Amino acid sequence: RLAQRNARKENPRQAKIRKLLALAQSRNANEAQAAMFKAHELMARHHIATLTKDPIRSFISIFLGAPALRHFKETYFLANLIQDFYFVQGIWVPAFVVDKGKMGRVLEVSGTPANVAQAGYVFAFVNAYIERRWQEMNSSRRLTRYQKSDFAVGIVDGFRRQLNRQQPLPEAMPDKRALIRQADPRLSAYLKRRYPRTSSIQRGGGRQDTDIYGHGHQIGEQMILHRGIAHKSRDTGKKLPPT
C-alpha cells in the first residue's frame, strides 16, 4: 500500500515525462532528441528530490527479461546502462527456466516504484528496438547470432555515448550533478537485507565483427527513447513485494 501511495504522488511528474517522451516521436530529429533529453532531466531532478526530501521512501524489485541458462553479452551491457542512468540497482539472481527444466538466472532490478518502472520501460524499449533494427539489416543477409550480439552491443554503447553527452542539469549546479550518480544509501540497505551475500561477475568478450559493431554504434547514437513510461506502462517482469 505504501508503494501504491508513493506511485500516486509521483504520477504528475511521471505524466509530464510521458508527454515529453511522446513528443520524442517527432519526425524532426532535433525536436525529438530535445524532448528525450528534457525527460531525462526531469528523471534526474526527481531522483535528487527523492534523495533529499523523502527519507521514508519505499522500494520494489522486479525481474527484467526472462530467466535463461545463458544470456548474451548485450543483456549485460544493457543491464549496466540502466543502472548507470536510471537510478536502479541490479542483481543477477537464480530463476527456474521452465522450458529447459533447469535453474538459470534473471536480472532483478530494485529502486523506487517510479525509477523501477522507468528502467523496465527502457530495458524493453531498447531490446525491441535492437530486434527491429536487426531484422531490417539481416533481412537479405545470413549473419550469425554472434554478429547480432556485436550489433546489439554497438547500439547500447552508442546510446550510452549519447546519454553521456547529455547535460541533464546546469554545470553551475555541481552539487546537484554529483547527486545524480550518487548511490542511494537506503536502496543499498534494502538490497543488503534482501541479499546479505553477493558476488561480482564479469561478462564481456571481444567483438567478432567490428564493422557490425560500428554500424550498431552509429544507430545507437541516433536512437530516441520515446512514448509511454512509468506506471501506465505494461509490466516488464514479475513484481516482488516492497520493503
Side-chain angles (χ1 to χ4, degrees):
R1 291 182 180 179
L2 178 59
Q4 291 175 345
R5 288 197 297 270
N6 285 344
R8 285 195 294 270
K9 287 191 294 185
E10 292 167 349
N11 274 342
R13 188 185 299 265
Q14 295 306 313
K16 191 169 184 179
I17 291 171
R18 284 197 302 273
K19 289 179 181 178
L20 284 166
L21 291 175
L23 291 174
Q25 296 180 88
S26 170
R27 293 183 179 182
N28 182 304
N30 291 331
E31 289 180 358
Q33 188 176 63
M36 182 184 73
F37 283 173
K38 182 63 177 179
H40 278 78
E41 178 184 334
L42 286 182
M43 293 177 202
R45 290 184 182 277
H46 176 65
H47 172 67
I48 291 170
T50 299
L51 286 178
T52 57
K53 299 178 182 179
D54 188 4
I56 58 171
R57 56 193 174 276
S58 64
F59 304 105
I60 63 171
S61 300
I62 67 170
F63 294 161
L64 297 186
L69 302 183
R70 176 193 179 192
H71 294 274
F72 289 98
K73 62 182 179 181
E74 61 265 27
T75 307
Y76 295 99
F77 279 75
L78 181 53
N80 288 336
L81 182 141
I82 63 173
Q83 290 179 87
D84 290 344
F85 291 97
Y86 296 95
F87 321 118
V88 296
Q89 293 188 35
I91 295 180
W92 290 93
V93 299
F96 190 71
V97 184
V98 176
D99 60 333
K100 301 294 184 181
K102 297 179 180 179
M103 290 297 295
R105 292 188 305 148
V106 67
L107 176 64
E108 179 187 295
V109 296
S110 301
T112 64
N115 288 342
V116 165
Q118 289 162 359
Y121 181 82
V122 174
F123 186 87
F125 180 96
V126 175
N127 275 315
Y129 184 86
I130 288 171
E131 189 62 32
R132 178 169 62 83
R133 296 306 299 262
W134 174 251
Q135 293 298 329
E136 291 172 357
M137 190 176 76
N138 197 34
S139 60
S140 59
R141 304 166 70 178
R142 294 184 177 181
L143 301 175
T144 69
R145 182 60 184 77
Y146 293 104
Q147 287 174 306
K148 180 179 181 180
S149 284
D150 295 333
F151 178 73
V153 169
I155 288 180
V156 174
D157 282 351
F159 188 52
R160 174 183 286 275
R161 184 175 182 183
Q162 184 181 178
L163 293 178
N164 277 327
R165 289 200 304 265
Q166 176 190 353
Q167 299 296 318
L169 291 172
E171 292 291 350
M173 303 170 64
D175 56 328
K176 300 297 186 184
R177 293 183 62 80
L179 277 173
I180 293 176
R181 294 299 179 93
Q182 176 180 311
D184 184 340
R186 291 185 178 274
L187 175 56
S188 297
Y190 164 86
L191 284 171
K192 186 66 175 179
R193 293 193 302 271
R194 190 172 182 82
Y195 299 107
R197 295 182 180 180
T198 60
S199 60
S200 299
I201 61 172
Q202 293 186 349
R203 292 290 186 273
R207 293 188 289 275
Q208 305 292 320
D209 191 322
T210 54
D211 289 338
I212 292 288
Y213 169 85
H215 184 55
H217 197 282
Q218 290 178 349
I219 292 173
E221 286 192 86
Q222 301 301 318
M223 185 180 76
I224 302 297
L225 182 72
H226 61 74
R227 296 192 67 173
I229 201 165
H231 299 288
K232 287 190 177 180
S233 62
R234 292 191 303 174
D235 290 343
T236 56
K238 180 180 178 182
K239 290 188 177 181
L240 299 172
T243 297

